[in-house]
Amino acid sequence: MTVIDTHGAAAERRRRGPRFGSNFMAVLEVSRDLVCLCEDGIILDINSAGIDLLAAKDSSALVGRTFCDLVGGDYVQVLEELLLLNEIESQAIPVAVRGLNGATLDVELQIHPARELGAGHAVVIARDISRQGHLARTARASEDRFRVLVEKSMHLIAQCHGGRVVYINDAGAAMLGALRAAELQGMAVADMFHGDYREIFASDLTMLLSEEGMMPVRMADRDGDAFDAQILVTPLPSVGSVPEYMIEARDISDHLRAVAALRHMNETLEHQVAERTRELAEERSKAVEARLFVESLLEAVPNPLWWKGIDGQYRGYNRAFREMHAIGAEEWIGRTMGELLDPDFVKTSHAADLQALGADKRVQFEGRLTLADGLAHDVVVSKIAWRSRADQPEGVIGVMMDITERKAMEAELRRLATTDALTGVFNRRYFMTTLGTEVERVHRHPRPLSALMLDIDHFKRINDTFGHPVGDKAIKAMADACTDAIRTVDALGRLGGEEFAILLPDTDLEAAMMVAERIRVAVSRICINTGIGDVVFTASIGVAQLIEADVSAEALLSRADAALYTAKNSGRNRVVAA
């Protein structure tokens, strides 16, 4: 089969709304709404209602103009993206339109791709809603008052539409290294972030929007320099399926430097404790006074700290250690770790003791330890030997830091980087990485490898009839059906919208067709109760096996996508092999 679409264009065409014939302007001439045809945002033709609405004498006064020149407000950048077909929005957008006589009208605007009429062609439909103008102006006045408050904020505040910044305050512009806020309008939201954060949010915006509460991130200014920040993402009422939201960011670089300085001071304090312990062994005549000083010093250390003899028995510990284990001041004195703590932790800690006693340097390790609250905590332990006047090791001093929250944050970041927020399956970025690795392995060690491309038939109809929440349930149910039908060694990924891909290692085309048919039947049996009617749907599936000509993962997936497109054109609810 010939590869006809290497970048998912077939799937994209299925989602882009109505199609238009060459005579559609004649049909829509009787419409009371403005209807015009644009190419790359330039007006090519307009109906009589549109000529009257814009106060033009005839169509020649409007043809050749850039449509965005007639639009006011904050949505110009967004409309440019829609007219250039960089984004698709199926819902009407309220904007202000200026007629040639200077009058401003409030309209609801819809932009439909019309690629069948030519590259870059779009049909624009505008309905006059001037009667609601008073309410819109009242809302606009409230917005102006809100913006005054936003501009006075000491922190970054940005309003975003989809993946773009449509507004940012002066404090935000200064934080990102811009002279004027206008320089940042229209920038990609992901470009505000640094390193892995930029890659994650650029590949899947839902990861940013799904976060609740304050989130620590690394941001970047316009010169590419990174800084630490806390952000809060707040969803805003959105028109259509493209989300609108507000990002508030606070620079915490100075705070983190202070924390680092405190940590350094804590490490310095550990060293001071070890030095003072050696002094106690050398100055036995001042033992009582020195012991009282050291005990006061250790009690002030915020981290759990203890010291043991060379026999492994506890000689003492500070307040933080007692609180961590919920013990008294003398309860563990003279006892060993083996009597009191988790066997696995004891084994690792004992090895660290021997290493510290055998070398005059600090030894550090990580482990899991069950504390008095009954929970297992991730901890990092630092140990160093304390020595006699003859410079012989007398025992070990240890200090502990609880890093459970940091470990949990690292695990969550890894999860966000690899999974889709709605379905829990692999996201597009991680699935493509997995597929690329598997294709390279097959080229080195030949064995069968197949891939499936599948999506929900007439998915737009489900969204339009029952709403996007039901559409999300359909996507989740589809993912669950696929998960139940495949092996643990197989990989399921959501590529976007209702489109999924499945990687089947060690599977030839015949076996892959059987898996695809099993999935097709399982999807056809899904029934979602909405309260206003049951939703049932089907899926179309394209199947391809890796061949010698497939030099990359994209080539294999493109052939499966072409087969999927054939399944759609052949009536849907079927499996087609490439």
Short mmCIF file of all heavy atoms in Angstrom, two decimals, residues 16-20 82 85 87-89 111-116 121-123:
data_model
loop_
_atom_site.label_atom_id
_atom_site.label_comp_id
_atom_site.label_asym_id
_atom_site.label_seq_id
_atom_site.Cartn_x
_atom_site.Cartn_y
_atom_site.Cartn_z
N ARG A 16 -11.97 17.91 11.03
CA ARG A 16 -12.00 19.34 10.70
C ARG A 16 -13.33 19.84 10.15
O ARG A 16 -13.38 20.77 9.39
CB ARG A 16 -10.88 19.65 9.72
CG ARG A 16 -9.51 19.54 10.40
CD ARG A 16 -8.42 20.12 9.57
NE ARG A 16 -7.15 20.12 10.27
CZ ARG A 16 -6.02 20.55 9.77
NH1 ARG A 16 -5.99 21.04 8.55
NH2 ARG A 16 -4.90 20.50 10.46
N GLY A 17 -14.44 19.24 10.54
CA GLY A 17 -15.73 19.86 10.29
C GLY A 17 -16.28 19.65 8.90
O GLY A 17 -15.91 18.74 8.17
N PRO A 18 -17.22 20.54 8.48
CA PRO A 18 -17.94 20.36 7.22
C PRO A 18 -17.06 20.57 5.99
O PRO A 18 -16.02 21.20 6.05
CB PRO A 18 -19.02 21.45 7.31
CG PRO A 18 -18.44 22.49 8.20
CD PRO A 18 -17.63 21.75 9.21
N ARG A 19 -17.52 20.03 4.86
CA ARG A 19 -16.84 20.23 3.58
C ARG A 19 -17.67 21.18 2.72
O ARG A 19 -18.90 21.23 2.83
CB ARG A 19 -16.62 18.89 2.87
CG ARG A 19 -15.70 17.95 3.63
CD ARG A 19 -15.52 16.63 2.91
NE ARG A 19 -14.58 15.77 3.61
CZ ARG A 19 -13.28 15.78 3.45
NH1 ARG A 19 -12.74 16.62 2.58
NH2 ARG A 19 -12.48 14.96 4.14
N PHE A 20 -17.04 21.90 1.82
CA PHE A 20 -17.71 22.92 1.03
C PHE A 20 -17.49 22.64 -0.46
O PHE A 20 -16.36 22.35 -0.89
CB PHE A 20 -17.19 24.32 1.38
CG PHE A 20 -17.39 24.69 2.83
CD1 PHE A 20 -16.39 24.46 3.75
CD2 PHE A 20 -18.59 25.24 3.25
CE1 PHE A 20 -16.55 24.78 5.09
CE2 PHE A 20 -18.75 25.58 4.58
CZ PHE A 20 -17.76 25.35 5.49
N LEU A 82 -6.26 30.59 13.76
CA LEU A 82 -7.39 29.84 13.21
C LEU A 82 -7.51 30.04 11.69
O LEU A 82 -7.77 29.09 10.95
CB LEU A 82 -8.69 30.28 13.90
CG LEU A 82 -8.79 29.95 15.40
CD1 LEU A 82 -10.04 30.58 16.00
CD2 LEU A 82 -8.80 28.45 15.62
N LEU A 85 -5.17 28.15 9.81
CA LEU A 85 -5.43 26.70 10.02
C LEU A 85 -4.38 26.06 10.90
O LEU A 85 -4.18 24.83 10.86
CB LEU A 85 -5.55 25.96 8.69
CG LEU A 85 -6.57 26.54 7.69
CD1 LEU A 85 -6.67 25.67 6.46
CD2 LEU A 85 -7.93 26.69 8.35
N GLU A 87 -4.68 26.17 14.14
CA GLU A 87 -5.52 25.58 15.17
C GLU A 87 -6.93 25.47 14.62
O GLU A 87 -7.33 26.24 13.72
CB GLU A 87 -5.53 26.43 16.45
CG GLU A 87 -4.20 26.47 17.18
CD GLU A 87 -4.31 27.18 18.52
OE1 GLU A 87 -5.44 27.28 19.04
OE2 GLU A 87 -3.27 27.62 19.04
N ILE A 88 -7.71 24.52 15.13
CA ILE A 88 -9.09 24.30 14.71
C ILE A 88 -9.99 24.51 15.92
O ILE A 88 -9.76 23.94 16.97
CB ILE A 88 -9.28 22.87 14.14
CG1 ILE A 88 -8.28 22.60 13.00
CG2 ILE A 88 -10.72 22.71 13.65
CD1 ILE A 88 -8.40 23.52 11.82
N GLU A 89 -11.01 25.36 15.78
CA GLU A 89 -11.97 25.63 16.85
C GLU A 89 -13.37 25.47 16.29
O GLU A 89 -13.77 26.19 15.36
CB GLU A 89 -11.75 27.04 17.40
CG GLU A 89 -12.79 27.49 18.41
CD GLU A 89 -12.87 26.53 19.56
OE1 GLU A 89 -11.88 26.35 20.29
OE2 GLU A 89 -13.95 25.90 19.69
N ILE A 111 -15.02 29.69 12.28
CA ILE A 111 -14.06 29.51 11.19
C ILE A 111 -13.95 28.02 10.88
O ILE A 111 -13.59 27.23 11.76
CB ILE A 111 -12.68 30.10 11.56
CG1 ILE A 111 -12.83 31.61 11.84
CG2 ILE A 111 -11.68 29.86 10.43
CD1 ILE A 111 -11.55 32.26 12.32
N HIS A 112 -14.28 27.66 9.63
CA HIS A 112 -14.23 26.25 9.20
C HIS A 112 -13.14 26.07 8.15
O HIS A 112 -13.09 26.82 7.16
CB HIS A 112 -15.57 25.82 8.60
CG HIS A 112 -16.72 25.96 9.56
ND1 HIS A 112 -16.91 25.10 10.62
CD2 HIS A 112 -17.74 26.87 9.63
CE1 HIS A 112 -18.00 25.46 11.28
NE2 HIS A 112 -18.51 26.53 10.71
N PRO A 113 -12.26 25.06 8.30
CA PRO A 113 -11.29 24.76 7.24
C PRO A 113 -12.03 24.36 5.96
O PRO A 113 -13.06 23.67 5.99
CB PRO A 113 -10.49 23.58 7.81
CG PRO A 113 -10.72 23.63 9.27
CD PRO A 113 -12.08 24.19 9.47
N ALA A 114 -11.54 24.81 4.82
CA ALA A 114 -12.15 24.47 3.51
C ALA A 114 -11.03 24.08 2.55
O ALA A 114 -10.88 24.66 1.48
CB ALA A 114 -12.96 25.64 2.98
N ARG A 115 -10.22 23.10 2.95
CA ARG A 115 -9.07 22.71 2.13
C ARG A 115 -9.50 22.14 0.77
O ARG A 115 -8.70 22.14 -0.17
CB ARG A 115 -8.23 21.69 2.89
CG ARG A 115 -7.57 22.26 4.14
CD ARG A 115 -6.70 21.20 4.82
NE ARG A 115 -6.00 21.75 5.98
CZ ARG A 115 -6.55 21.85 7.19
NH1 ARG A 115 -7.78 21.43 7.38
NH2 ARG A 115 -5.84 22.35 8.20
N GLU A 116 -10.75 21.63 0.72
CA GLU A 116 -11.20 21.11 -0.57
C GLU A 116 -11.34 22.20 -1.63
O GLU A 116 -11.40 21.92 -2.84
CB GLU A 116 -12.54 20.38 -0.40
CG GLU A 116 -13.66 21.24 0.18
CD GLU A 116 -13.66 21.18 1.71
OE1 GLU A 116 -12.64 20.85 2.30
OE2 GLU A 116 -14.72 21.47 2.29
N HIS A 121 -7.47 27.63 2.50
CA HIS A 121 -8.82 28.20 2.41
C HIS A 121 -9.61 27.93 3.69
O HIS A 121 -9.53 26.84 4.25
CB HIS A 121 -9.56 27.61 1.21
CG HIS A 121 -9.13 28.22 -0.11
ND1 HIS A 121 -7.81 28.21 -0.52
CD2 HIS A 121 -9.84 28.88 -1.08
CE1 HIS A 121 -7.74 28.82 -1.71
NE2 HIS A 121 -8.94 29.22 -2.07
N ALA A 122 -10.37 28.93 4.11
CA ALA A 122 -11.23 28.81 5.29
C ALA A 122 -12.51 29.59 5.03
O ALA A 122 -12.50 30.62 4.36
CB ALA A 122 -10.54 29.32 6.54
N VAL A 123 -13.63 29.09 5.58
CA VAL A 123 -14.93 29.76 5.47
C VAL A 123 -15.22 30.41 6.83
O VAL A 123 -15.18 29.75 7.86
CB VAL A 123 -16.04 28.77 5.09
CG1 VAL A 123 -17.40 29.45 5.18
CG2 VAL A 123 -15.81 28.24 3.69
#
